[in-house]
Amino acid sequence: AELRATVRSALAALPARERAAVVARVLEGAAYAEVAEILDCTDENARQIVSRGLRRLRATLAPHLEAHR
């Protein structure tokens, strides 16, 4: 439950476009083309935004994940 709250908080802290991209791609299983359509950008740009968001999430969550091992 604590980890779930931490993940929610980390997602909420992402910039809006990164949050939308990560949620669509990872949580909803959208293809990059769908993410691009949602964000009104190219597929390549969608990939970059997802990647940047995931990098931020990993950096934020890394200390918490280590504590749960």
Side-chain angles (χ1 to χ4, degrees), residues 11 14 18-19 21-23 25-27 32 47-61:
L11 268 173
L14 289 176
E18 290 177 20
R19 182 173 54 253
V22 168
V23 167
R25 176 73 180 148
V26 177
L27 300 181
Y32 285 110
R47 288 176 189 273
Q48 292 171 352
I49 295 168
V50 170
S51 178
R52 193 168 39 244
L54 289 174
R55 247 191 331 271
R56 285 184 208 260
L57 275 180
R58 277 192 290 275
T60 301
L61 295 175

Side-chain angles (χ1 to χ4, degrees), residues 1 5-6 14 16-17 21 25 30 32-33 35 42 45 58 68:
T6 302
L14 289 176
R17 283 175 67 82
R25 176 73 180 148
Y32 285 110
V35 175
T42 65
N45 197 280
R58 277 192 290 275
H68 281 81

